[in-house]
mmCIF file of all heavy atoms in Angstrom:
data_model
loop_
_atom_site.group_PDB
_atom_site.id
_atom_site.type_symbol
_atom_site.label_atom_id
_atom_site.label_comp_id
_atom_site.label_asym_id
_atom_site.label_seq_id
_atom_site.Cartn_x
_atom_site.Cartn_y
_atom_site.Cartn_z
ATOM 1 N N ALA A 17 -1.557 0.009 16.882
ATOM 2 C CA ALA A 17 -0.763 -0.316 15.682
ATOM 3 C C ALA A 17 0.262 0.788 15.451
ATOM 4 O O ALA A 17 -0.057 1.963 15.581
ATOM 5 C CB ALA A 17 -1.675 -0.445 14.476
ATOM 6 N N ARG A 18 1.487 0.383 15.157
ATOM 7 C CA ARG A 18 2.549 1.355 14.964
ATOM 8 C C ARG A 18 3.293 1.042 13.678
ATOM 9 O O ARG A 18 3.203 -0.051 13.138
ATOM 10 C CB ARG A 18 3.543 1.288 16.152
ATOM 11 C CG ARG A 18 2.931 1.600 17.518
ATOM 12 C CD ARG A 18 2.461 3.034 17.641
ATOM 13 N NE ARG A 18 3.441 3.997 17.167
ATOM 14 C CZ ARG A 18 4.495 4.424 17.866
ATOM 15 N NH1 ARG A 18 4.702 3.998 19.093
ATOM 16 N NH2 ARG A 18 5.336 5.304 17.342
ATOM 17 N N THR A 19 4.049 2.040 13.215
ATOM 18 C CA THR A 19 4.884 1.874 12.029
ATOM 19 C C THR A 19 6.208 1.250 12.468
ATOM 20 O O THR A 19 6.985 1.886 13.180
ATOM 21 C CB THR A 19 5.128 3.241 11.373
ATOM 22 O OG1 THR A 19 3.854 3.782 11.009
ATOM 23 C CG2 THR A 19 6.020 3.122 10.165
ATOM 24 N N ALA A 20 6.459 0.014 12.055
ATOM 25 C CA ALA A 20 7.638 -0.712 12.558
ATOM 26 C C ALA A 20 8.895 -0.351 11.769
ATOM 27 O O ALA A 20 8.863 -0.197 10.545
ATOM 28 C CB ALA A 20 7.389 -2.213 12.480
ATOM 29 N N ASN A 21 9.991 -0.231 12.521
ATOM 30 C CA ASN A 21 11.295 0.041 11.909
ATOM 31 C C ASN A 21 12.275 -1.111 12.076
ATOM 32 O O ASN A 21 13.337 -1.102 11.457
ATOM 33 C CB ASN A 21 11.890 1.318 12.517
ATOM 34 C CG ASN A 21 11.056 2.535 12.168
ATOM 35 O OD1 ASN A 21 10.993 2.944 11.019
ATOM 36 N ND2 ASN A 21 10.380 3.103 13.154
ATOM 37 N N ALA A 71 16.388 5.190 0.346
ATOM 38 C CA ALA A 71 17.148 6.226 1.052
ATOM 39 C C ALA A 71 17.983 5.551 2.143
ATOM 40 O O ALA A 71 17.600 4.498 2.665
ATOM 41 C CB ALA A 71 16.189 7.233 1.678
ATOM 42 N N GLY A 73 18.513 5.935 5.256
ATOM 43 C CA GLY A 73 17.865 5.605 6.529
ATOM 44 C C GLY A 73 16.861 4.468 6.412
ATOM 45 O O GLY A 73 16.392 3.938 7.422
ATOM 46 N N ASN A 74 16.491 4.106 5.204
ATOM 47 C CA ASN A 74 15.516 3.025 5.002
ATOM 48 C C ASN A 74 16.181 1.712 4.591
ATOM 49 O O ASN A 74 15.493 0.695 4.452
ATOM 50 C CB ASN A 74 14.515 3.423 3.916
ATOM 51 C CG ASN A 74 13.569 4.518 4.381
ATOM 52 O OD1 ASN A 74 13.303 4.628 5.582
ATOM 53 N ND2 ASN A 74 13.073 5.328 3.457
ATOM 54 N N LYS A 77 16.418 -1.523 7.347
ATOM 55 C CA LYS A 77 15.129 -2.166 7.656
ATOM 56 C C LYS A 77 14.543 -2.858 6.426
ATOM 57 O O LYS A 77 13.903 -3.900 6.539
ATOM 58 C CB LYS A 77 14.136 -1.197 8.303
ATOM 59 C CG LYS A 77 13.857 0.080 7.577
ATOM 60 C CD LYS A 77 13.058 1.031 8.472
ATOM 61 C CE LYS A 77 13.054 2.438 7.910
ATOM 62 N NZ LYS A 77 12.495 3.394 8.843
ATOM 63 N N ILE A 134 -2.232 -1.331 4.199
ATOM 64 C CA ILE A 134 -1.524 -1.153 5.476
ATOM 65 C C ILE A 134 -2.424 -1.588 6.638
ATOM 66 O O ILE A 134 -1.992 -2.295 7.553
ATOM 67 C CB ILE A 134 -1.071 0.318 5.636
ATOM 68 C CG1 ILE A 134 0.038 0.629 4.630
ATOM 69 C CG2 ILE A 134 -0.608 0.600 7.073
ATOM 70 C CD1 ILE A 134 0.329 2.126 4.463
ATOM 71 N N ARG A 138 -2.107 -4.922 9.368
ATOM 72 C CA ARG A 138 -2.360 -4.874 10.814
ATOM 73 C C ARG A 138 -3.434 -5.889 11.203
ATOM 74 O O ARG A 138 -3.357 -6.502 12.275
ATOM 75 C CB ARG A 138 -2.794 -3.463 11.197
ATOM 76 C CG ARG A 138 -1.669 -2.447 11.000
ATOM 77 C CD ARG A 138 -2.167 -1.033 11.109
ATOM 78 N NE ARG A 138 -1.061 -0.089 11.198
ATOM 79 C CZ ARG A 138 -1.204 1.196 11.501
ATOM 80 N NH1 ARG A 138 -2.412 1.690 11.716
ATOM 81 N NH2 ARG A 138 -0.147 1.973 11.574
ATOM 82 N N GLY A 145 5.682 -1.142 7.595
ATOM 83 C CA GLY A 145 6.580 0.010 7.588
ATOM 84 C C GLY A 145 6.572 0.628 6.208
ATOM 85 O O GLY A 145 7.420 0.305 5.373
ATOM 86 N N PRO A 146 5.582 1.506 5.931
ATOM 87 C CA PRO A 146 5.531 2.119 4.599
ATOM 88 C C PRO A 146 6.645 3.150 4.439
ATOM 89 O O PRO A 146 7.005 3.825 5.396
ATOM 90 C CB PRO A 146 4.161 2.809 4.561
ATOM 91 C CG PRO A 146 3.703 2.914 5.974
ATOM 92 C CD PRO A 146 4.521 1.997 6.822
ATOM 93 N N MET A 147 7.180 3.249 3.219
ATOM 94 C CA MET A 147 8.288 4.188 2.961
ATOM 95 C C MET A 147 8.152 4.813 1.581
ATOM 96 O O MET A 147 7.917 4.108 0.594
ATOM 97 C CB MET A 147 9.634 3.449 3.021
ATOM 98 C CG MET A 147 9.986 2.865 4.365
ATOM 99 S SD MET A 147 11.343 1.686 4.203
ATOM 100 C CE MET A 147 10.560 0.418 3.228
ATOM 101 N N THR A 148 8.344 6.138 1.555
ATOM 102 C CA THR A 148 8.475 6.822 0.264
ATOM 103 C C THR A 148 9.875 7.426 0.104
ATOM 104 O O THR A 148 10.127 8.114 -0.889
ATOM 105 C CB THR A 148 7.398 7.923 0.111
ATOM 106 O OG1 THR A 148 7.376 8.717 1.298
ATOM 107 C CG2 THR A 148 6.019 7.325 -0.113
ATOM 108 N N GLY A 149 10.726 7.185 1.073
ATOM 109 C CA GLY A 149 12.116 7.627 0.949
ATOM 110 C C GLY A 149 12.880 6.659 0.071
ATOM 111 O O GLY A 149 13.491 5.688 0.559
ATOM 112 N N LEU A 150 12.808 6.897 -1.235
ATOM 113 C CA LEU A 150 13.425 5.976 -2.196
ATOM 114 C C LEU A 150 13.547 6.672 -3.550
ATOM 115 O O LEU A 150 12.909 7.702 -3.798
ATOM 116 C CB LEU A 150 12.579 4.698 -2.331
ATOM 117 C CG LEU A 150 11.102 4.883 -2.694
ATOM 118 C CD1 LEU A 150 10.857 4.552 -4.151
ATOM 119 C CD2 LEU A 150 10.228 4.008 -1.808
ATOM 120 N N LEU A 167 4.395 3.674 -5.864
ATOM 121 C CA LEU A 167 3.814 4.595 -4.869
ATOM 122 C C LEU A 167 4.594 4.589 -3.573
ATOM 123 O O LEU A 167 4.800 5.616 -2.947
ATOM 124 C CB LEU A 167 2.383 4.172 -4.530
ATOM 125 C CG LEU A 167 1.351 4.223 -5.620
ATOM 126 C CD1 LEU A 167 0.044 3.654 -5.101
ATOM 127 C CD2 LEU A 167 1.160 5.650 -6.083
ATOM 128 N N MET A 168 4.960 3.409 -3.132
ATOM 129 C CA MET A 168 5.697 3.261 -1.868
ATOM 130 C C MET A 168 6.201 1.831 -1.765
ATOM 131 O O MET A 168 5.747 0.943 -2.503
ATOM 132 C CB MET A 168 4.812 3.594 -0.660
ATOM 133 C CG MET A 168 3.694 2.631 -0.405
ATOM 134 S SD MET A 168 2.567 3.170 0.922
ATOM 135 C CE MET A 168 1.637 4.458 0.088
ATOM 136 N N TRP A 180 9.810 0.972 17.280
ATOM 137 C CA TRP A 180 9.185 2.246 16.920
ATOM 138 C C TRP A 180 9.877 3.458 17.492
ATOM 139 O O TRP A 180 10.502 3.414 18.538
ATOM 140 C CB TRP A 180 7.719 2.338 17.327
ATOM 141 C CG TRP A 180 7.181 1.238 18.144
ATOM 142 C CD1 TRP A 180 7.157 1.136 19.485
ATOM 143 C CD2 TRP A 180 6.563 0.057 17.638
ATOM 144 N NE1 TRP A 180 6.553 -0.027 19.856
ATOM 145 C CE2 TRP A 180 6.174 -0.707 18.745
ATOM 146 C CE3 TRP A 180 6.278 -0.414 16.349
ATOM 147 C CZ2 TRP A 180 5.529 -1.926 18.616
ATOM 148 C CZ3 TRP A 180 5.643 -1.626 16.217
ATOM 149 C CH2 TRP A 180 5.271 -2.358 17.339
ATOM 150 N N PHE A 181 9.685 4.563 16.781
ATOM 151 C CA PHE A 181 10.024 5.869 17.326
ATOM 152 C C PHE A 181 8.905 6.223 18.319
ATOM 153 O O PHE A 181 7.829 5.613 18.275
ATOM 154 C CB PHE A 181 10.079 6.922 16.202
ATOM 155 C CG PHE A 181 11.057 6.571 15.104
ATOM 156 C CD1 PHE A 181 10.664 6.534 13.767
ATOM 157 C CD2 PHE A 181 12.383 6.291 15.410
ATOM 158 C CE1 PHE A 181 11.572 6.209 12.767
ATOM 159 C CE2 PHE A 181 13.297 5.963 14.413
ATOM 160 C CZ PHE A 181 12.888 5.927 13.092
ATOM 161 N N PRO A 182 9.136 7.218 19.213
ATOM 162 C CA PRO A 182 8.037 7.628 20.102
ATOM 163 C C PRO A 182 6.803 8.018 19.285
ATOM 164 O O PRO A 182 6.952 8.554 18.172
ATOM 165 C CB PRO A 182 8.614 8.839 20.836
ATOM 166 C CG PRO A 182 10.093 8.735 20.680
ATOM 167 C CD PRO A 182 10.350 8.018 19.400
ATOM 168 N N ARG A 183 5.641 7.718 19.815
ATOM 169 C CA ARG A 183 4.398 8.052 19.100
ATOM 170 C C ARG A 183 4.291 9.569 18.956
ATOM 171 O O ARG A 183 4.377 10.301 19.952
ATOM 172 C CB ARG A 183 3.213 7.517 19.890
ATOM 173 C CG ARG A 183 1.851 7.710 19.246
ATOM 174 C CD ARG A 183 1.643 6.839 18.040
ATOM 175 N NE ARG A 183 0.452 6.012 18.164
ATOM 176 C CZ ARG A 183 -0.010 5.262 17.168
ATOM 177 N NH1 ARG A 183 0.580 5.229 15.993
ATOM 178 N NH2 ARG A 183 -1.076 4.526 17.356
ATOM 179 N N SER A 184 4.121 10.044 17.759
ATOM 180 C CA SER A 184 3.956 11.484 17.537
ATOM 181 C C SER A 184 2.497 11.867 17.724
ATOM 182 O O SER A 184 1.594 11.048 17.508
ATOM 183 C CB SER A 184 4.400 11.851 16.123
ATOM 184 O OG SER A 184 5.766 11.532 15.965
ATOM 185 N N ARG A 186 -1.224 13.521 17.123
ATOM 186 C CA ARG A 186 -2.097 13.658 15.954
ATOM 187 C C ARG A 186 -2.895 14.948 16.116
ATOM 188 O O ARG A 186 -3.079 15.437 17.231
ATOM 189 C CB ARG A 186 -3.055 12.473 15.829
ATOM 190 C CG ARG A 186 -2.368 11.103 15.674
ATOM 191 C CD ARG A 186 -1.470 11.043 14.460
ATOM 192 N NE ARG A 186 -1.200 9.677 14.011
ATOM 193 C CZ ARG A 186 -0.066 9.006 14.218
ATOM 194 N NH1 ARG A 186 0.944 9.568 14.884
ATOM 195 N NH2 ARG A 186 0.073 7.773 13.747
HETATM 196 C C1 FMN B 1 3.335 6.980 2.677
HETATM 197 C C2 FMN B 1 4.304 6.879 3.826
HETATM 198 C C3 FMN B 1 5.648 7.076 3.609
HETATM 199 C C4 FMN B 1 6.568 6.967 4.643
HETATM 200 N N1 FMN B 1 7.903 7.038 4.372
HETATM 201 C C5 FMN B 1 8.788 6.744 5.348
HETATM 202 C C6 FMN B 1 10.177 6.630 5.054
HETATM 203 O O1 FMN B 1 10.630 6.793 3.915
HETATM 204 N N2 FMN B 1 11.021 6.323 6.077
HETATM 205 C C7 FMN B 1 10.565 6.117 7.355
HETATM 206 O O2 FMN B 1 11.385 5.825 8.230
HETATM 207 N N3 FMN B 1 9.252 6.226 7.657
HETATM 208 C C8 FMN B 1 8.358 6.510 6.689
HETATM 209 N N4 FMN B 1 7.010 6.555 6.974
HETATM 210 C C9 FMN B 1 6.565 6.292 8.366
HETATM 211 C C10 FMN B 1 5.837 7.483 9.027
HETATM 212 O O3 FMN B 1 6.754 8.424 9.469
HETATM 213 C C11 FMN B 1 4.991 6.888 10.164
HETATM 214 O O4 FMN B 1 4.057 6.016 9.613
HETATM 215 C C12 FMN B 1 4.244 7.967 10.949
HETATM 216 O O5 FMN B 1 5.127 8.842 11.578
HETATM 217 C C13 FMN B 1 3.326 7.332 11.998
HETATM 218 O O6 FMN B 1 4.054 6.521 12.880
HETATM 219 P P1 FMN B 1 3.284 5.578 13.930
HETATM 220 O O7 FMN B 1 2.457 4.635 13.098
HETATM 221 O O8 FMN B 1 4.352 4.839 14.661
HETATM 222 O O9 FMN B 1 2.460 6.432 14.794
HETATM 223 C C14 FMN B 1 6.099 6.681 5.956
HETATM 224 C C15 FMN B 1 4.728 6.495 6.183
HETATM 225 C C16 FMN B 1 3.843 6.573 5.130
HETATM 226 C C17 FMN B 1 2.374 6.308 5.403
#
Side-chain angles (χ1 to χ4, degrees):
R18 299 294 313 279
T19 300
N21 295 292
N74 289 332
K77 54 190 166 189
I134 291 166
R138 294 169 168 190
M147 296 165 294
T148 48
L150 55 103
L167 296 175
M168 68 186 75
W180 7 90
F181 303 126
R183 183 71 124 173
S184 299
R186 300 301 201 257

